[in-house]
Structure formats: structure tokens, C-alpha cells
Amino acid sequence: MTVRKLQQGRGWAFSLAVPIVKPTLLSIASRTWIDGEKIPAVGGCIVVFNHISHIDPLLSAHFVYDHGRLPRYLAKSGLFKNKALSKFLRSAGQIPVERLSRNAVGAFDAAVNAVRAGECVVVYPEGTLTRDPDLWPMIGKSGAARIALETGCPVIPVGQWGAHEVLPPYTTRPRLFPRKRIVMKAGDPVDLTDLLTRPRSTETINAATARIMAALVAVVEDLRGEKAPAERFDPRKAGLRQIGNPRKQDRA
């Protein structure tokens, strides 16, 4: 496992969080980091992860931080309603997202600006925790693809496995004993070169999204030693339009 030194100042938010969060995570799970050096040491980039647990953001931050980058997230706008938490999140460079609203465009612009400023932006391209019965990545949303096409930045897929053993999806009670094992592996940058000069049409964005998801699924398959289903789970087809609760049915 290669650990890379941080190349930028942490700021007060990360300086406060890292000494608390890292030891806590190490106490509940061992970690195996694989090929994290594929995350660029400097310069704007997007790192995409599969999403299997509410604890994922802490673990993915651990992975990215251990490889010399400060992670910037597209975070749910609801987290910013608390003044103290909002101050902390904004100081840590996190980007509020108001889903299904006009302000989502502002989040896209903020993410593009962050990448252009040389930041490492973390995206969960599924948009929410997976609802696939076997925890495979679902169909992807277009956010990561659109940011990549707009900026020309590298997109690094990172597959992870084990977080669901610590905190199963859509639950609130962690399973701390016995100590679990978390594995994360970075893949090669997704090749979008031929798409960068095309018009930003739906076809181009869908093609980029498909490549990003295929690369991510391939890394997860490698970690799990299994083949993913030929057809990815689609929450809308399953009548699960509501993002926060898998039991709420689509009333549209």
C-alpha cells in the first residue's frame, strides 16, 4: 500500500477532522488500499466510487487523503441547514447539491470551478446508495460525465467493498464487532478523449456516463471476484423514485 504525502494545506476543517476521524475508522475496520497512486498527485480530477453504505464518504475521504489529496464532495443541501455544520462543510470545500431543483445547475458550476482550480472532486455516480439486491452498482447519473467533458479532467474509478459490513445500507446501527475489512482499489483513468471534441449532446453525455460506469463496475468485479449482472439495476423501473427511502414507492 502506497501512502502519498498531502501536497496542499489542510485548512482548519481538515486539521480538526483528520485526527478524530482516521483513528476512529482504523479502530472499526482494517483497510487495504490498492493502486491509490493512480489518483493524480496534483491538478483537477474526478474520483468516482460505488456507493454501498452511509459510511462511504468517510472511508472514501480516508482513501483519497491517504493518497495525497483533499476530497471535495457534492453533498446533499440538507446537510448545510445547520449553521455550524454548514460552516465546517464549506470550510472543507464541500459543495451543496439541491437535487431535482434549478440550484443543481449551480452545484455543477461549482464542481467545474473546483476541478479547474485543481481540486479533487469525489462523485458517487449512482446518485444514492445502491438498491441492487446484491449491492452491485446501479445505472449511473450524468454528473461526473458532464463535469469531465466540460473540464477535460481525468476520471479515476475506485471500487470498494466491505463498508456494508460496518454499516449495512439503509440502516443506522453499525456492526462494530468483529472488526471488519475495507478494500478499495483505483482503476486506470477512463478514456474520454474522443468525446471531448463532440457537441455536449445527450448521446455524448450518455456515452461518457456508460464508460465511467463500465470502468467502475470492472474494478468492483475485480475486488469481489464475481461478475456483475449484465443489466444494471434501475430504481425508476423498480418504482423507487424517492431517493432517501427504498420503501417509498414512485407516486408519479
Side-chain angles (χ1 to χ4, degrees), residues 186-236:
D188 293 326
V190 182
D191 187 4
L192 302 175
T193 307
D194 61 308
L195 301 178
L196 296 176
T197 57
R198 294 187 187 179
R200 300 291 186 266
S201 64
T202 300
E203 181 183 7
T204 301
I205 293 169
N206 287 346
T209 301
R211 290 188 197 179
I212 290 169
M213 291 308 300
L216 180 57
V217 169
V219 181
V220 176
E221 286 179 332
D222 185 43
L223 285 182
R224 294 180 56 169
E226 305 172 68
K227 289 295 291 182
E231 183 176 351
R232 293 190 195 110
F233 186 82
D234 185 339
R236 289 185 179 273

Side-chain angles (χ1 to χ4, degrees), residues 47-51 56-57 60 73 122-128 160:
V47 183
V48 296
F49 287 81
N50 59 308
H51 203 358
D56 287 347
S60 57
Y73 286 89
V122 174
V123 178
Y124 292 98
E126 297 163 83
T128 188
Q160 59 136 341

